[in-house]
């Protein structure tokens, strides 16, 4: 009697490039910052959905190190939005058992914003239901270069394990599922080291349109895949059995 195919467990760590906020606003003849505000609503919905579905870690790309090159009014609006979102969302996230980590270069951010990031991390440090990593002023190449510099400063050998432990996301396992919204199919310098074996899922939905059904579609696609990590299908089946 043939054995039934193994089902991949749900992802423990989901990473998302939240792309399409500006295009969502432009389609509605609104300023691009209005799209980013709507994107915060989508993130709130996604955090709740991930927690409800047993996801342990959610990592989102909120602002890349390359985003400083956008129009000044959009960058300024994003900074103001971040400060406002911290004041509004942190109490709610804390009540929902979400632990916040802000990942990225803090040099160059305002003192007020840095203080807000530190306060949010301290306020939610005891929570265990979901870890939410918000990558802000982050880049994958920056992450790798920073880790290498840290090892050199400590006089440690440049091994794969040491580099991994020096990365900005060393406090969580690598992503299982990498989602990008907005119809683009590239990594855009996000979690380059950590996503070596992540399953990629690209959605045509703009981020403000990404809802629970879209998340379920991505998770279902993930569970339909066989994760081999360099092994053969026969080896994976034997290990599962």
């Amino acid at each position: 009697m043939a054995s039934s195919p193994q089902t991949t467990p749900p992802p423990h760590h989901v990473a998302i490039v939240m792309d399409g906020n500006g295009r969502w606003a432009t389609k509605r003849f609104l300023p691009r910052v209005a799209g980013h505000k709507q994107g915060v609503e989508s993130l709130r919905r996604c955090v709740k959905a991930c927690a409800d579905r047993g996801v342990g870690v959610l990592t989102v790309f909120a602002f890349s190190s390359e985003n400083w090159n956008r129009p000044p009014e959009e960058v300024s609006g994003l900074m103001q939005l971040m400060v406002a979102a911290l004041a509004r969302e942190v109490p709610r996230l804390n009540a929902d058992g979400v632990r916040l980590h802000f990942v990225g270069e803090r040099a160059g951010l305002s003192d007020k914003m840095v203080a807000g990031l530190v306060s949010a991390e301290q306020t939610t440090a005891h929570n265990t239901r979901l870890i939410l990593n918000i990558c802000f002023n982050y880049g994958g190449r920056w992450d790798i270069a920073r880790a290498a510099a840290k090892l050199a400063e400590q006089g440690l050998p440049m091994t794969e394990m040491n580099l991994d432990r020096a990365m900005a996301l060393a406090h969580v396992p690598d992503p299982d599922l990498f989602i990008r919204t907005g119809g683009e199919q590239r990594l855009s310098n996000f979690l380059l080291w950590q996503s070596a074996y992540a399953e990629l899922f690209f959605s045509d939905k703009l981020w403000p349109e990404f809802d629970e059904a879209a998340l379920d579609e991505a998770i279902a696609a993930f569970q339909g895949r066989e994760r081999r990590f360099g092994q053969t299908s026969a080896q994976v089946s034997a290990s599962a059995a």
Side-chain angles (χ1 to χ4, degrees):
M1 183 177 178
S3 60
S4 58
Q6 298 294 326
T7 301
T8 299
H12 173 72
H13 183 174
V14 175
I16 305 179
V17 177
M18 305 180 293
D19 194 19
N21 291 330
R23 282 175 285 157
W24 181 91
T26 300
K27 283 170 60 177
R28 290 158 177 78
F29 304 101
L30 297 170
R32 288 176 59 87
V33 171
H36 295 301
K37 289 181 179 178
Q38 192 62 38
V40 173
E41 300 296 321
S42 291
L43 177 56
R44 180 188 299 129
R45 189 169 60 225
C46 186
V47 169
K48 183 180 185 306
C50 283
D52 289 344
R53 285 153 180 77
V55 172
V57 183
L58 174 63
T59 301
V60 298
F61 208 4
F63 188 85
S64 77
S65 47
E66 288 80 23
N67 285 157
W68 292 106
N69 297 320
R70 291 192 173 188
E73 63 274 12
E74 183 175 351
V75 173
S76 176
L78 280 166
M79 294 300 146
Q80 293 173 18
L81 180 62
M82 183 65 167
V83 171
L86 282 171
R88 186 178 64 249
E89 300 296 331
V90 170
R92 181 180 302 166
L93 292 169
N94 188 41
D96 290 340
V98 177
R99 181 173 185 177
L100 279 163
H101 285 272
F102 292 93
V103 181
E105 178 59 72
R106 297 188 183 184
L109 301 179
S110 70
D111 291 343
K112 182 178 181 180
M113 180 173 291
V114 172
L117 302 184
V118 172
S119 175
E121 290 180 332
Q122 292 175 344
T123 298
T124 62
H126 63 285
N127 294 330
T128 58
R129 187 180 181 207
L130 174 74
I131 294 175
L132 174 59
N133 298 307
I134 298 180
C135 294
F136 194 84
N137 197 22
Y138 172 88
R141 290 178 175 179
W142 164 86
D143 195 0
I144 296 170
R146 173 179 165 274
K150 187 185 295 185
L151 294 185
E153 183 179 323
Q154 296 172 348
L156 295 173
M158 203 73 63
T159 65
E160 183 175 327
M161 181 177 292
N162 284 342
L163 267 175
D164 191 64
R165 289 173 175 170
M167 290 287 167
L169 285 177
H171 59 283
V172 293
D174 288 345
D176 301 298
L177 173 61
F178 183 115
I179 300 171
R180 181 175 184 140
T181 64
E184 305 289 356
Q185 299 187 13
R186 57 178 178 268
L187 302 183
S188 292
N189 198 23
F190 184 46
L191 305 184
L192 299 181
W193 176 275
Q194 296 87 347
S195 296
Y197 275 100
E199 297 295 328
L200 308 182
F201 182 87
F202 300 105
S203 171
D204 289 331
K205 288 183 177 291
L206 303 176
W207 175 246
E209 303 165 343
F210 193 83
D211 55 13
E212 293 86 349
L215 177 65
D216 287 337
E217 181 186 0
I219 291 175
F222 171 85
Q223 290 188 280
R225 300 180 189 179
E226 182 182 66
R227 307 192 75 201
R228 294 192 294 274
F229 298 99
Q231 295 183 319
T232 66
S233 292
Q235 287 176 302
V236 172
S237 297
S239 297

